[in-house]
Amino acid sequence: QVQLAESGGGLVQPGGSLRLECRASGRSFNLYHTAWFRQAPGKGREFVAALRSGSTDYDDSVEGRFTISRDNYKNTMYLQMNSLKPEDTAVYYCAAGWDLSIAQIASTDSYVYWGQGTQVTVSS
């Protein structure tokens, strides 16, 4: 199995940037399809971005502003977030799963392993 740990969250002004990291321990990260989700207060956990067999997928709300990437040698996944908006405020989670189809990547049920989350607050 794999253990995931997010870091890099914090308070940023609208229009600012943050880079989140998700470090994996245990099995190699490159065995998995991986993704970022987020959960705002009072809302369900929603899909942000995914890496699947070299392809990237984004929710429409972050397309063009966020970039997901992974360094398999460091066993670390990243989420570069630019042009942040107050509505991006949430706890951000990384997740890992196996053999996900394009139809499965946005569902929380598709992922087996989750990190503990890191808070991102966008406010002036």
Side-chain angles (χ1 to χ4, degrees):
Q1 62 180 15
V2 65
Q3 292 79 43
L4 304 176
E6 304 93 338
S7 62
L11 173 64
V12 63
Q13 292 187 342
S17 298
L18 279 176
R19 188 176 80 157
L20 305 183
E21 293 189 3
C22 173
R23 294 195 176 187
S25 59
R27 300 186 73 184
S28 177
F29 222 175
N30 64 4
L31 297 176
Y32 301 90
H33 293 157
T34 53
W36 288 96
F37 285 76
R38 66 186 179 186
Q39 188 166 14
K43 295 187 177 181
R45 197 166 295 189
E46 64 178 19
F47 171 75
V48 175
L51 272 170
R52 186 178 59 90
S53 300
S55 298
T56 57
D57 301 278
Y58 297 93
D59 184 78
D60 288 345
S61 65
V62 305
E63 181 82 52
R65 300 188 298 121
F66 290 10
T67 303
I68 187 172
S69 62
R70 196 168 73 189
D71 185 332
N72 288 328
Y73 291 104
K74 295 182 178 180
N75 243 16
T76 302
M77 181 174 65
Y78 305 94
L79 185 67
Q80 178 66 45
M81 305 186 295
N82 299 328
S83 302
L84 282 161
K85 304 175 181 180
E87 51 263 43
D88 294 318
T89 295
V91 178
Y92 283 70
Y93 299 88
C94 61
W98 291 288
D99 296 327
L100 302 182
S101 69
I102 187 67
Q104 294 174 307
I105 61 169
S107 171
T108 56
D109 291 340
S110 301
Y111 296 88
V112 178
Y113 302 110
W114 291 86
Q116 83 289 348
T118 185
Q119 175 71 46
V120 172
T121 302
V122 185
S123 175
S124 55

